[in-house]
Amino acid sequence: MADLRKTIEEKAKYHFDYMVQTRRYLHKNPEISFKEFETTDYIIHELKKLGIETHRPLETGCVGVIEGGKTSDRVIALRADIDALEMEEEGEAKIQFISERPGAAHCCGHDAHTANLLGAAHILTEMQDEIEGKILLIFQPAEESLPGGGRLLSESGFLQEYGVQAIYGLHTNPTHKPGTIATKPGPLMARPDEFEITIKGTGGHAASPHLTVDPIVLLGQVITQFQTIISRSVDPTDPAVVTIGRVRAGSTYNVIPAKAELIGTVRTFSQENAYLIRDRMEAILKGVAEGSGGGYEFEFNEGYPAVVNNAELTDRIIKTARTYLGDDGVIELKKPIMAGEDFAFYQQHFPGAFFFLGSGSEEADSQWSWHHPRYNVDEKCMLTGSALMAGLVLGE
Ligand code: NI
Protein backbone atom coordinates (compact mmCIF):
# COMPACT_ATOMS: atom_id res chain seq x y z
CA MET A 1 0.00 0.00 0.00
CA ALA A 2 2.79 2.38 0.91
CA ASP A 3 4.49 1.68 -2.43
CA LEU A 4 1.29 2.22 -4.34
CA ARG A 5 0.69 5.48 -2.52
CA LYS A 6 4.20 6.68 -3.25
CA THR A 7 3.91 5.85 -6.94
CA ILE A 8 0.57 7.64 -7.23
CA GLU A 9 1.84 10.68 -5.35
CA GLU A 10 4.92 10.93 -7.55
CA LYS A 11 2.79 10.70 -10.64
CA ALA A 12 0.40 13.38 -9.36
CA LYS A 13 3.42 15.65 -8.82
CA TYR A 14 4.77 14.85 -12.27
CA HIS A 15 1.43 15.76 -13.90
CA PHE A 16 0.81 18.82 -11.73
CA ASP A 17 1.98 21.33 -14.36
CA TYR A 18 -0.25 19.65 -16.91
CA MET A 19 -3.25 20.00 -14.57
CA VAL A 20 -2.46 23.68 -13.89
CA GLN A 21 -2.14 24.46 -17.62
CA THR A 22 -5.35 22.55 -18.38
CA ARG A 23 -7.26 24.25 -15.61
CA ARG A 24 -6.08 27.69 -16.77
CA TYR A 25 -6.99 26.96 -20.38
CA LEU A 26 -10.51 25.90 -19.33
CA HIS A 27 -10.77 28.88 -17.03
CA LYS A 28 -9.95 31.25 -19.87
CA ASN A 29 -12.46 29.55 -22.19
CA PRO A 30 -15.54 28.84 -20.06
CA GLU A 31 -18.80 27.51 -21.49
CA ILE A 32 -22.12 27.57 -19.65
CA SER A 33 -24.43 24.59 -18.96
CA PHE A 34 -25.46 22.52 -21.99
CA LYS A 35 -23.19 24.65 -24.22
CA GLU A 36 -19.90 22.94 -23.38
CA PHE A 37 -19.06 22.01 -26.99
CA GLU A 38 -15.44 23.21 -27.17
CA THR A 39 -14.77 21.99 -23.64
CA THR A 40 -16.03 18.54 -24.65
CA ASP A 41 -13.88 18.47 -27.80
CA TYR A 42 -10.90 19.49 -25.72
CA ILE A 43 -11.45 16.74 -23.14
CA ILE A 44 -11.99 14.09 -25.82
CA HIS A 45 -8.76 15.18 -27.50
CA GLU A 46 -6.88 14.87 -24.20
CA LEU A 47 -8.34 11.43 -23.47
CA LYS A 48 -7.57 10.17 -26.96
CA LYS A 49 -3.93 11.24 -26.56
CA LEU A 50 -3.83 8.77 -23.67
CA GLY A 51 -5.41 6.03 -25.78
CA ILE A 52 -8.61 6.14 -23.74
CA GLU A 53 -11.82 5.05 -25.45
CA THR A 54 -14.35 7.92 -25.42
CA HIS A 55 -18.14 8.06 -25.62
CA ARG A 56 -20.61 10.88 -25.92
CA PRO A 57 -23.93 9.75 -24.45
CA LEU A 58 -25.24 13.34 -24.29
CA GLU A 59 -24.79 16.27 -26.64
CA THR A 60 -22.06 17.75 -24.45
CA GLY A 61 -19.75 16.12 -21.94
CA CYS A 62 -18.18 12.72 -22.45
CA VAL A 63 -17.19 9.48 -20.75
CA GLY A 64 -13.74 7.89 -21.02
CA VAL A 65 -13.38 4.16 -20.42
CA ILE A 66 -10.13 2.73 -19.10
CA GLU A 67 -9.84 -1.01 -19.46
CA GLY A 68 -7.78 -2.40 -16.58
CA GLY A 69 -5.00 -4.95 -17.00
CA LYS A 70 -6.55 -7.28 -14.44
CA THR A 71 -9.69 -9.02 -15.66
CA SER A 72 -12.62 -8.44 -13.34
CA ASP A 73 -16.26 -7.38 -13.56
CA ARG A 74 -15.53 -4.41 -11.30
CA VAL A 75 -16.70 -1.09 -12.78
CA ILE A 76 -16.02 2.15 -10.92
CA ALA A 77 -16.92 5.64 -12.11
CA LEU A 78 -15.18 8.93 -11.26
CA ARG A 79 -17.15 12.07 -12.01
CA ALA A 80 -16.18 15.69 -12.75
CA ASP A 81 -18.59 18.45 -13.80
CA ILE A 82 -17.38 20.71 -16.62
CA ASP A 83 -19.75 23.69 -16.96
CA ALA A 84 -19.20 27.34 -16.09
CA LEU A 85 -21.64 29.86 -14.63
CA GLU A 86 -23.51 32.58 -16.47
CA MET A 87 -21.79 35.54 -14.80
CA GLU A 88 -18.83 37.92 -14.99
CA GLU A 89 -15.76 37.32 -12.87
CA GLU A 90 -13.18 39.50 -11.11
CA GLY A 91 -9.91 39.03 -9.32
CA GLU A 92 -6.28 40.07 -9.64
CA ALA A 93 -5.12 36.56 -8.77
CA LYS A 94 -6.75 35.20 -11.92
CA ILE A 95 -5.51 37.94 -14.23
CA GLN A 96 -3.36 35.64 -16.40
CA PHE A 97 -6.21 33.32 -17.20
CA ILE A 98 -9.38 35.34 -16.56
CA SER A 99 -12.42 34.46 -18.70
CA GLU A 100 -12.19 35.74 -22.25
CA ARG A 101 -15.87 35.09 -22.78
CA PRO A 102 -18.39 37.72 -21.66
CA GLY A 103 -21.18 36.27 -19.53
CA ALA A 104 -19.38 33.03 -18.67
CA ALA A 105 -16.97 32.27 -15.84
CA HIS A 106 -15.65 29.27 -13.94
CA CYS A 107 -16.61 30.60 -10.51
CA CYS A 108 -17.52 27.22 -9.05
CA GLY A 109 -14.24 25.38 -9.67
CA HIS A 110 -15.52 23.00 -12.35
CA ASP A 111 -12.43 23.91 -14.42
CA ALA A 112 -10.30 22.44 -11.61
CA HIS A 113 -12.58 19.38 -11.29
CA THR A 114 -12.08 18.69 -15.01
CA ALA A 115 -8.30 19.25 -14.97
CA ASN A 116 -8.06 17.15 -11.82
CA LEU A 117 -9.83 14.19 -13.43
CA LEU A 118 -7.67 14.53 -16.56
CA GLY A 119 -4.66 14.41 -14.22
CA ALA A 120 -6.09 11.24 -12.66
CA ALA A 121 -6.55 9.86 -16.20
CA HIS A 122 -2.79 10.30 -16.77
CA ILE A 123 -1.94 8.53 -13.51
CA LEU A 124 -4.37 5.70 -14.20
CA THR A 125 -3.32 5.00 -17.78
CA GLU A 126 0.30 4.76 -16.60
CA MET A 127 -0.80 2.20 -14.02
CA GLN A 128 -3.27 0.38 -16.25
CA ASP A 129 -1.79 -3.04 -15.43
CA GLU A 130 -2.72 -2.53 -11.77
CA ILE A 131 -6.37 -1.72 -12.51
CA GLU A 132 -9.03 -4.33 -11.92
CA GLY A 133 -11.98 -4.19 -14.32
CA LYS A 134 -13.04 -0.90 -15.87
CA ILE A 135 -12.88 2.72 -14.83
CA LEU A 136 -15.32 5.23 -16.25
CA LEU A 137 -14.20 8.84 -16.27
CA ILE A 138 -17.35 10.95 -16.39
CA PHE A 139 -17.01 14.52 -17.64
CA GLN A 140 -20.54 15.68 -16.96
CA PRO A 141 -22.17 18.77 -18.46
CA ALA A 142 -24.64 21.17 -16.86
CA GLU A 143 -24.33 20.72 -13.12
CA GLU A 144 -25.56 24.29 -12.65
CA SER A 145 -28.84 24.12 -14.59
CA LEU A 146 -32.02 22.10 -14.23
CA PRO A 147 -32.73 19.34 -15.09
CA GLY A 148 -28.98 18.77 -14.44
CA GLY A 149 -26.53 16.87 -16.61
CA GLY A 150 -26.21 14.34 -13.78
CA ARG A 151 -29.87 13.52 -14.14
CA LEU A 152 -29.72 13.16 -17.93
CA LEU A 153 -26.62 10.97 -17.81
CA SER A 154 -27.76 8.73 -14.98
CA GLU A 155 -31.13 8.24 -16.70
CA SER A 156 -29.64 7.72 -20.19
CA GLY A 157 -28.95 4.02 -19.58
CA PHE A 158 -25.29 4.45 -20.56
CA LEU A 159 -23.89 3.85 -17.06
CA GLN A 160 -26.37 1.01 -16.45
CA GLU A 161 -25.08 -0.72 -19.57
CA TYR A 162 -21.61 -0.76 -18.07
CA GLY A 163 -22.97 -2.01 -14.75
CA VAL A 164 -21.37 0.75 -12.65
CA GLN A 165 -20.88 -0.53 -9.09
CA ALA A 166 -19.60 2.61 -7.41
CA ILE A 167 -19.29 6.29 -8.27
CA TYR A 168 -17.16 8.98 -6.63
CA GLY A 169 -17.33 12.74 -7.07
CA LEU A 170 -15.74 15.79 -5.49
CA HIS A 171 -16.17 19.55 -5.23
CA THR A 172 -13.54 22.14 -4.42
CA ASN A 173 -14.30 23.87 -1.14
CA PRO A 174 -12.96 27.32 -0.21
CA THR A 175 -13.59 26.90 3.52
CA HIS A 176 -10.90 24.23 3.83
CA LYS A 177 -7.18 24.37 2.98
CA PRO A 178 -5.54 22.48 0.10
CA GLY A 179 -4.23 19.13 1.30
CA THR A 180 -7.49 18.38 3.11
CA ILE A 181 -10.77 16.72 2.26
CA ALA A 182 -14.10 16.77 4.09
CA THR A 183 -17.04 14.42 3.95
CA LYS A 184 -19.48 12.37 5.98
CA PRO A 185 -21.60 9.26 5.49
CA GLY A 186 -25.35 9.70 4.98
CA PRO A 187 -26.88 13.11 4.20
CA LEU A 188 -24.21 15.52 2.90
CA MET A 189 -26.05 18.09 0.80
CA ALA A 190 -29.71 19.10 0.80
CA ARG A 191 -32.50 18.65 -1.67
CA PRO A 192 -33.53 22.16 -2.82
CA ASP A 193 -37.15 22.45 -4.08
CA GLU A 194 -38.98 25.68 -4.96
CA PHE A 195 -42.59 26.77 -4.71
CA GLU A 196 -44.81 29.46 -6.20
CA ILE A 197 -48.21 30.27 -4.75
CA THR A 198 -51.04 32.56 -5.76
CA ILE A 199 -53.87 33.12 -3.31
CA LYS A 200 -56.97 34.25 -5.11
CA GLY A 201 -59.57 36.44 -3.45
CA THR A 202 -62.12 38.97 -4.61
CA GLY A 203 -60.90 42.55 -4.70
CA GLY A 204 -62.85 45.64 -3.78
CA HIS A 205 -62.99 48.83 -1.72
CA ALA A 206 -60.96 48.85 1.47
CA ALA A 207 -63.97 50.28 3.33
CA SER A 208 -66.21 47.36 2.34
CA PRO A 209 -64.26 44.23 3.28
CA HIS A 210 -67.52 42.30 3.76
CA LEU A 211 -68.04 42.48 -0.01
CA THR A 212 -64.59 41.05 -0.78
CA VAL A 213 -62.45 38.00 -0.07
CA ASP A 214 -59.27 39.64 1.17
CA PRO A 215 -56.23 37.66 -0.05
CA ILE A 216 -53.88 39.60 2.26
CA VAL A 217 -55.64 38.24 5.34
CA LEU A 218 -55.48 34.76 3.82
CA LEU A 219 -51.80 35.30 3.04
CA GLY A 220 -51.13 36.12 6.70
CA GLN A 221 -52.80 32.90 7.82
CA VAL A 222 -50.93 30.84 5.23
CA ILE A 223 -47.55 32.25 6.31
CA THR A 224 -48.28 31.57 9.98
CA GLN A 225 -49.59 28.07 9.36
CA PHE A 226 -46.62 27.18 7.13
CA GLN A 227 -44.42 27.70 10.20
CA THR A 228 -46.15 24.75 11.84
CA ILE A 229 -45.13 22.31 9.09
CA ILE A 230 -41.57 21.92 10.33
CA SER A 231 -42.47 22.16 14.02
CA ARG A 232 -45.54 19.87 13.97
CA SER A 233 -45.38 17.61 10.91
CA VAL A 234 -41.73 16.78 10.17
CA ASP A 235 -39.85 14.33 12.36
CA PRO A 236 -37.87 16.62 14.73
CA THR A 237 -34.67 14.63 14.15
CA ASP A 238 -34.75 15.37 10.39
CA PRO A 239 -33.32 18.73 9.24
CA ALA A 240 -35.79 20.64 7.07
CA VAL A 241 -36.48 24.25 6.10
CA VAL A 242 -39.47 26.11 4.68
CA THR A 243 -38.51 29.67 3.72
CA ILE A 244 -40.79 32.17 2.06
CA GLY A 245 -38.45 34.39 0.08
CA ARG A 246 -40.90 36.92 -1.36
CA VAL A 247 -44.48 38.06 -0.84
CA ARG A 248 -46.37 40.37 -3.12
CA ALA A 249 -49.85 41.76 -2.70
CA GLY A 250 -51.78 44.97 -3.14
CA SER A 251 -50.97 48.37 -4.57
CA THR A 252 -52.28 51.15 -2.35
CA TYR A 253 -54.04 52.27 0.91
CA ASN A 254 -57.64 51.82 0.01
CA VAL A 255 -57.90 48.84 -2.31
CA ILE A 256 -58.31 45.21 -1.35
CA PRO A 257 -56.42 43.35 -4.08
CA ALA A 258 -57.70 40.29 -5.94
CA LYS A 259 -54.65 38.15 -5.32
CA ALA A 260 -51.52 37.66 -3.26
CA GLU A 261 -48.37 35.82 -4.29
CA LEU A 262 -45.54 34.14 -2.44
CA ILE A 263 -42.47 32.20 -3.51
CA GLY A 264 -39.88 30.31 -1.54
CA THR A 265 -37.75 27.24 -1.08
CA VAL A 266 -37.99 23.95 0.78
CA ARG A 267 -34.80 22.17 1.91
CA THR A 268 -34.89 18.56 3.03
CA PHE A 269 -32.82 15.39 2.93
CA SER A 270 -35.42 12.98 1.56
CA GLN A 271 -38.12 12.80 -1.05
CA GLU A 272 -40.43 11.57 1.68
CA ASN A 273 -40.02 14.77 3.69
CA ALA A 274 -40.14 16.98 0.59
CA TYR A 275 -43.45 15.42 -0.42
CA LEU A 276 -44.78 15.55 3.13
CA ILE A 277 -44.05 19.29 3.25
CA ARG A 278 -45.50 19.83 -0.23
CA ASP A 279 -48.71 18.04 0.72
CA ARG A 280 -49.03 19.91 4.04
CA MET A 281 -48.55 23.22 2.20
CA GLU A 282 -51.32 22.32 -0.21
CA ALA A 283 -53.65 21.19 2.58
CA ILE A 284 -53.12 24.50 4.40
CA LEU A 285 -53.74 26.48 1.23
CA LYS A 286 -56.88 24.55 0.52
CA GLY A 287 -58.22 24.99 4.06
CA VAL A 288 -57.38 28.68 4.36
CA ALA A 289 -58.22 29.87 0.85
CA GLU A 290 -61.21 27.71 0.01
CA GLY A 291 -62.55 27.84 3.56
CA SER A 292 -62.91 31.62 3.13
CA GLY A 293 -64.41 31.55 -0.33
CA GLY A 294 -61.14 32.16 -2.17
CA GLY A 295 -58.94 29.93 -4.28
CA TYR A 296 -55.25 29.21 -4.88
CA GLU A 297 -52.66 28.07 -7.38
CA PHE A 298 -49.75 26.02 -6.12
CA GLU A 299 -46.65 25.05 -8.04
CA PHE A 300 -43.96 22.91 -6.44
CA ASN A 301 -40.85 22.55 -8.58
CA GLU A 302 -38.60 19.68 -7.65
CA GLY A 303 -34.87 20.44 -7.65
CA TYR A 304 -32.04 17.96 -7.25
CA PRO A 305 -32.45 15.15 -4.73
CA ALA A 306 -30.29 15.26 -1.57
CA VAL A 307 -26.72 14.00 -1.77
CA VAL A 308 -26.75 11.01 0.57
CA ASN A 309 -23.42 9.22 0.85
CA ASN A 310 -23.13 5.45 0.79
CA ALA A 311 -21.52 4.49 4.13
CA GLU A 312 -19.10 1.90 2.76
CA LEU A 313 -17.80 4.14 -0.04
CA THR A 314 -17.49 7.11 2.32
CA ASP A 315 -15.45 4.93 4.61
CA ARG A 316 -13.21 4.11 1.69
CA ILE A 317 -12.75 7.80 0.89
CA ILE A 318 -11.88 8.56 4.52
CA LYS A 319 -9.43 5.65 4.82
CA THR A 320 -7.74 6.41 1.50
CA ALA A 321 -7.50 10.11 2.35
CA ARG A 322 -5.96 9.30 5.77
CA THR A 323 -3.28 7.24 4.03
CA TYR A 324 -2.42 10.13 1.72
CA LEU A 325 -3.03 13.16 3.91
CA GLY A 326 -2.67 11.91 7.46
CA ASP A 327 -5.31 12.33 10.16
CA ASP A 328 -5.11 16.12 9.99
CA GLY A 329 -5.97 16.11 6.31
CA VAL A 330 -9.35 14.46 6.84
CA ILE A 331 -12.25 16.51 8.16
CA GLU A 332 -15.18 14.34 9.17
CA LEU A 333 -18.15 16.67 8.92
CA LYS A 334 -20.67 16.51 11.74
CA LYS A 335 -23.50 18.13 9.82
CA PRO A 336 -24.65 18.26 6.21
CA ILE A 337 -24.74 21.53 4.28
CA MET A 338 -27.94 22.97 2.81
CA ALA A 339 -26.57 23.61 -0.75
CA GLY A 340 -27.50 21.19 -3.55
CA GLU A 341 -25.51 19.10 -6.11
CA ASP A 342 -26.73 17.05 -9.05
CA PHE A 343 -24.31 14.23 -8.09
CA ALA A 344 -27.39 13.16 -6.11
CA PHE A 345 -28.96 11.78 -9.30
CA TYR A 346 -26.22 9.17 -9.71
CA GLN A 347 -26.83 8.07 -6.14
CA GLN A 348 -30.44 7.30 -7.05
CA HIS A 349 -29.11 4.57 -9.36
CA PHE A 350 -25.68 3.54 -8.06
CA PRO A 351 -23.85 3.43 -4.72
CA GLY A 352 -22.02 6.75 -4.61
CA ALA A 353 -20.04 9.02 -2.33
CA PHE A 354 -19.05 12.65 -2.62
CA PHE A 355 -16.39 14.67 -0.84
CA PHE A 356 -15.13 18.24 -0.61
CA LEU A 357 -11.60 18.99 -1.73
CA GLY A 358 -10.06 21.81 0.33
CA SER A 359 -9.07 24.60 -2.09
CA GLY A 360 -9.12 27.80 -0.04
CA SER A 361 -6.06 29.87 0.82
CA GLU A 362 -5.31 33.57 1.14
CA GLU A 363 -2.09 33.33 -0.90
CA ALA A 364 -4.08 32.03 -3.89
CA ASP A 365 -6.95 34.45 -3.11
CA SER A 366 -9.20 31.39 -3.11
CA GLN A 367 -11.08 31.92 0.13
CA TRP A 368 -14.15 33.35 -1.65
CA SER A 369 -17.41 31.46 -1.54
CA TRP A 370 -18.87 29.38 -4.39
CA HIS A 371 -20.29 31.58 -7.18
CA HIS A 372 -18.51 34.73 -5.92
CA PRO A 373 -16.98 36.71 -8.84
CA ARG A 374 -13.55 36.25 -7.21
CA TYR A 375 -14.01 32.50 -6.68
CA ASN A 376 -10.70 30.81 -7.30
CA VAL A 377 -8.99 27.59 -6.32
CA ASP A 378 -5.56 27.07 -4.85
CA GLU A 379 -4.30 24.84 -7.64
CA LYS A 380 -2.36 22.69 -5.17
CA CYS A 381 -5.70 21.04 -4.40
CA MET A 382 -5.34 19.12 -7.66
CA LEU A 383 -2.28 17.31 -6.30
CA THR A 384 -4.49 15.90 -3.56
CA GLY A 385 -7.57 15.46 -5.75
CA SER A 386 -5.94 13.58 -8.62
CA ALA A 387 -3.95 11.29 -6.30
CA LEU A 388 -7.06 10.49 -4.26
CA MET A 389 -9.22 9.78 -7.30
CA ALA A 390 -6.54 7.37 -8.54
CA GLY A 391 -6.02 5.93 -5.06
CA LEU A 392 -9.74 5.26 -4.65
CA VAL A 393 -9.84 2.95 -7.65
CA LEU A 394 -6.36 1.44 -7.37
CA GLY A 395 -6.24 0.45 -3.71
CA GLU A 396 -7.53 -2.96 -2.77
NI1 NI B 1 -20.17 23.60 -8.44
Side-chain angles (χ1 to χ4, degrees):
M1 188 69 195
D3 281 352
L4 181 72
R5 190 199 78 201
K6 232 176 127 203
T7 312
I8 292 174
E9 276 176 343
E10 274 164 15
K11 287 186 185 300
K13 265 184 213 146
Y14 180 78
H15 295 296
F16 182 60
D17 280 348
Y18 165 79
M19 290 188 270
V20 170
Q21 294 318 314
T22 303
R23 182 254 164 169
R24 292 183 179 190
Y25 168 80
L26 295 169
H27 197 96
K28 220 173 182 175
N29 298 283
E31 291 175 302
I32 59 166
S33 307
F34 297 113
K35 301 269 192 279
E36 312 91 336
F37 292 100
E38 285 173 35
T39 306
T40 302
D41 288 346
Y42 180 85
I43 297 165
I44 289 177
H45 182 75
E46 290 304 296
L47 294 174
K48 281 196 170 150
K49 277 203 289 197
L50 295 171
I52 297 174
E53 176 191 319
T54 58
H55 298 266
R56 214 165 158 162
L58 305 177
E59 222 182 319
T60 53
C62 62
V63 181
V65 181
I66 302 179
E67 195 79 51
K70 294 181 184 168
T71 318
S72 156
D73 54 11
R74 204 169 84 131
V75 183
I76 298 180
L78 303 174
R79 174 271 205 171
D81 42 6
I82 66 171
D83 55 325
L85 288 157
E86 215 169 334
M87 62 182 284
E88 303 295 336
E89 70 174 327
E90 307 166 354
E92 278 298 307
K94 297 185 282 184
I95 205 76
Q96 290 173 350
F97 50 91
I98 205 149
S99 170
E100 288 181 345
R101 298 188 172 167
H106 271 294
C107 288
C108 200
H110 301 187
D111 51 342
H113 305 165
T114 305
N116 183 70
L117 192 56
L118 283 170
H122 276 266
I123 302 172
L124 290 168
T125 45
E126 287 168 12
M127 299 179 77
Q128 210 150 347
D129 291 348
E130 311 280 325
I131 298 171
E132 266 180 55
K134 289 188 181 69
I135 296 172
L136 267 50
L137 306 171
I138 300 175
F139 294 90
Q140 178 218 296
E143 192 282 320
E144 302 284 2
S145 292
L146 285 173
R151 174 174 205 160
L152 300 179
L153 189 58
S154 58
E155 290 176 359
S156 72
F158 180 86
L159 304 175
Q160 284 83 350
E161 237 168 76
Y162 275 89
V164 168
Q165 291 153 7
I167 179 164
Y168 296 101
L170 60 76
H171 204 295
T172 47
N173 187 345
T175 55
H176 300 131
K177 299 233 167 310
T180 66
I181 67 121
T183 190
K184 69 182 282 299
L188 181 71
M189 297 176 82
R191 170 195 164 105
D193 298 318
E194 291 173 354
F195 59 85
E196 286 177 32
I197 292 166
T198 304
I199 297 169
K200 296 175 179 170
T202 306
H205 199 290
S208 312
H210 59 297
L211 303 177
T212 73
V213 176
D214 187 347
I216 293 180
V217 174
L218 303 184
L219 177 74
Q221 291 174 46
V222 166
I223 292 171
T224 310
Q225 287 203 35
F226 274 8
Q227 304 313 309
T228 66
I229 298 175
I230 303 298
S231 69
R232 302 292 89 174
S233 300
V234 176
D235 183 328
T237 59
D238 291 347
V241 175
V242 175
T243 290
I244 296 162
R246 190 184 78 200
V247 296
R248 266 191 195 155
S251 56
T252 189
Y253 301 100
N254 54 358
V255 174
I256 291 172
K259 62 176 187 180
E261 296 167 332
L262 62 161
I263 65 169
T265 182
V266 172
R267 303 285 163 123
T268 54
F269 285 91
S270 68
Q271 189 183 58
E272 197 190 339
N273 275 340
Y275 286 1
L276 168 78
I277 291 170
R278 178 197 65 187
D279 294 347
R280 287 290 304 131
M281 289 173 90
E282 177 132 33
I284 290 167
L285 280 166
K286 202 171 163 59
V288 171
E290 291 182 359
S292 305
Y296 68 91
E297 275 169 23
F298 178 48
E299 217 180 283
F300 189 86
N301 301 315
E302 293 188 42
Y304 303 154
V307 173
V308 181
N309 273 348
N310 174 285
E312 208 180 301
L313 299 184
T314 309
D315 201 43
R316 184 174 179 84
I317 292 173
I318 290 171
K319 279 195 183 129
T320 308
R322 279 224 176 92
T323 317
Y324 284 76
L325 310 170
D327 287 347
D328 292 348
V330 180
I331 299 153
E332 291 191 59
L333 298 171
K334 296 281 174 285
K335 294 178 193 171
I337 66 164
M338 300 312 273
E341 230 299 336
D342 82 345
F343 185 79
F345 285 112
Y346 300 103
Q347 295 175 315
Q348 308 277 301
H349 301 269
F350 313 100
F354 195 76
F355 63 97
F356 296 110
L357 183 66
S359 61
S361 76
E362 300 216 344
E363 46 176 311
D365 194 40
S366 62
Q367 70 278 30
W368 305 93
S369 76
W370 291 317
H371 299 197
H372 190 283
R374 284 178 76 169
Y375 186 85
N376 194 14
V377 300
D378 186 325
E379 289 163 330
K380 290 198 291 296
C381 72
M382 296 187 290
L383 274 175
T384 309
S386 60
L388 274 184
M389 282 302 212
L392 280 171
V393 294
L394 280 169
E396 40 308 330

